């Protein structure tokens, strides 16, 4: 079976808090475990370059023991992967060993199984901790092919070179999953990964519901993460083809360490290790504003950073409920005048928009013909001519209610929303009251 499933000064305290919350004993050891060898509690494997260590640890909230990977030479209280996160060992009798079938298993002193790798495998296998933070099961000492790897079973941390993504052939979606709390590694409420429906964007999910969207991939960055375009120290790799959709990244300066963490409160944070302060420094975090929360204002209502994150019904729309303007509920908006599919329908131009999902790309249509393409399609409620998903600018049309509308200050695309050919109404504003 597989693996069991502000301010800079203030932000730096997070690393110190986490380091003091986890109790580790670091021992000198090799980087590999072979058949008939055992790794007992208080022993460790240390990667060849001494960057990562593998062993048992406890959190501040419990004396139970978890088996995982953490940084070895620095930030020793910062785990990046936990094998038995939902199934801790109640005492210090835990042992990791490779059994006759070639699987690596985690047992307690009574022989109870707490975690295991895939298997069985023929021949002698070796469990090795690589300097990337990847724990791999090899056929002997052959590192050309991994029989199993921890990178395929993420916890709450994405390391450079580690992929999250959707396999369209098997349907498997590898995602980060938050800890239950800051002191409990059990799978929490939030997950992070590619869109299961196949659109070229990433989501944070709160349970089964979308909580945050990265925006569409434009070939360089995700539109909802402007920080990706500001700093060139990262190299991003987003692949979408017939086999699946995946995302990974690397840090161009290999002497600097970085990690992307899905916190227990649903925030996604990119941390970089500073060789000057010897602390983790926060590079970016999302969501950091109510506008970033997916669908925060409801359908046909936009959230704007220039309006102090308030919701606004688009022109030609009004709040769904009479008291919505007073209560600030994100129930969305409805049309004042229903569409009747006329060729003289109007279009509302909204600039600097984060484009909503569920569009249809119309090939071979020029910018000046995109409007007419929408008009002759009664199901079309909006269109744009934009560069998305790493392809050249093209005509996009929408046939579903528009949600997750966000107006940026100085970027984004023009979105043209279809209105009935009647007198336009006034803009309806209401205060955003939700918080994350």
């Amino acid at each position: 079976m597989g693996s069991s499933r502000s301010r800079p000064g203030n932000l730096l305290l997070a690393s110190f808090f986490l380091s003091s919350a986890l109790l580790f004993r670091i021992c000198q050891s090799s980087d590999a475990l072979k058949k008939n060898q055992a790794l007992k509690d208080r022993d460790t494997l240390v990667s060849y370059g001494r960057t990562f260590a593998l062993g048992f640890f406890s959190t501040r909230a419990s004396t139970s023991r978890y088996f995982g990977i953490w940084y070895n030479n620095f930030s020793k209280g910062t785990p990046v992967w936990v094998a038995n996160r939902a199934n801790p060992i109640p005492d210090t009798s835990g042992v990791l060993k490779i059994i006759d079938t070639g699987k690596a298993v985690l047992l307690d002193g009574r022989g109870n199984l707490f975690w295991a790798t895939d298997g069985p495998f023929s021949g002698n296998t070796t469990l090795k901790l690589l300097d990337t933070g990847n724990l791999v099961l090899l056929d002997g000492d052959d590192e050309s092919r991994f029989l199993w790897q921890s990178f395929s079973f993420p916890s709450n941390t994405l390391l450079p070179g580690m992929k999250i993504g959707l396999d369209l052939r098997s349907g498997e979606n590898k995602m980060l999953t938050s800890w239950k709390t800051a002191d409990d590694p059990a799978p929490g409420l939030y997950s992070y990964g590619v869109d299961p429906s196949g659109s070229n964007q990433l989501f944070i999910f709160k349970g089964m519901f979308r909580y945050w969207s990265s925006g569409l991939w434009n070939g360089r960055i995700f539109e909802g993460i402007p920080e990706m375009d500001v700093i060139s120290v990262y190299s991003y790799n987003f692949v979408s083809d017939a086999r699946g959709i995946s995302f990974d990244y690397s840090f161009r300066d290999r002497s600097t360490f970085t990690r992307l963490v899905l916190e227990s409160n649903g925030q996604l944070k990119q941390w970089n290790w500073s060789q000057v302060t010897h602390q983790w420094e926060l590079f970016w975090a999302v969501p950091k504003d109510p506008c970033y929360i997916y669908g925060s204002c409801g359908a046909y209502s936009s959230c704007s950073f220039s309006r102090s994150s308030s919701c606004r019904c688009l022109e030609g729309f009004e709040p769904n409920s009479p008291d919505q303007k007073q209560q600030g509920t994100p129930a969305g908006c409805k049309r004042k005048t229903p569409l009747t599919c006329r060729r003289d329908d109007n279009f509302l131009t909204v600039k600097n928009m984060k484009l909503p999902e569920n569009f249809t790309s119309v090939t071979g249509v020029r910018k000046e013909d995109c409007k007419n393409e929408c008009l002759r399609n009664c199901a079309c409620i909006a269109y744009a001519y934009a560069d998305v998903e790493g392809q050249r600018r093209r005509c996009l049309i929408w046939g579903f209610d528009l949600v997750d509308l966000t107006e940026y200050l100085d970027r984004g695309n023009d979105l043209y929303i279809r209105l009935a050919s009647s007198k336009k109404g006034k803009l309806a504003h209401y205060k955003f009251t939700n918080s994350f």
Side-chain angles (χ1 to χ4, degrees), residues 59-97:
T59 68
R60 184 179 62 176
S62 173
T63 58
S64 296
R65 303 293 281 172
Y66 296 92
F67 187 76
I69 300 170
W70 60 89
Y71 292 96
N72 178 56
N73 287 333
F74 63 95
S75 192
K76 295 180 180 180
T78 305
V80 297
W81 182 78
V82 184
N84 60 326
R85 56 188 303 191
N87 194 23
I89 299 175
D91 53 38
T92 58
S93 67
V95 60
L96 180 79
K97 61 176 62 176

Side-chain angles (χ1 to χ4, degrees), residues 374-435:
C374 184
L375 282 173
R376 65 170 152 263
N377 184 346
C378 289
C380 179
I381 58 174
Y383 78 92
Y385 199 83
D387 174 12
V388 296
E389 299 180 335
Q391 302 180 26
R392 59 188 301 177
R393 295 174 70 84
R394 62 197 191 280
C395 181
L396 313 173
I397 63 174
W398 282 263
F400 298 91
D401 286 346
L402 303 178
V403 297
D404 199 33
L405 295 173
T406 303
E407 297 177 46
Y408 295 124
L409 294 174
D410 54 3
R411 56 194 173 92
N413 293 278
D414 291 348
L415 181 65
Y416 304 91
I417 300 172
R418 192 172 189 167
L419 299 177
S421 56
S422 60
K423 188 175 181 180
K424 297 179 181 180
K426 295 181 180 180
L427 300 179
H429 297 259
Y430 55 97
K431 186 179 180 182
F432 187 95
T433 57
N434 283 15
S435 59

Side-chain angles (χ1 to χ4, degrees), residues 159-179:
L159 295 174
M162 183 179 184
K163 290 184 179 181
I164 53 175
L166 174 66
D167 188 326
L168 293 175
R169 296 163 298 183
S170 67
E172 181 184 12
N173 197 1
K174 297 175 183 176
M175 309 179 76
L176 299 186
T177 307
S178 67
W179 284 24

Side-chain angles (χ1 to χ4, degrees), residues 9-25:
N10 293 334
L11 293 170
L12 295 179
L13 296 177
S15 173
F16 175 80
F17 177 82
L18 182 58
S19 297
S20 63
L22 302 176
L23 308 174
F24 294 84
R25 176 177 174 179

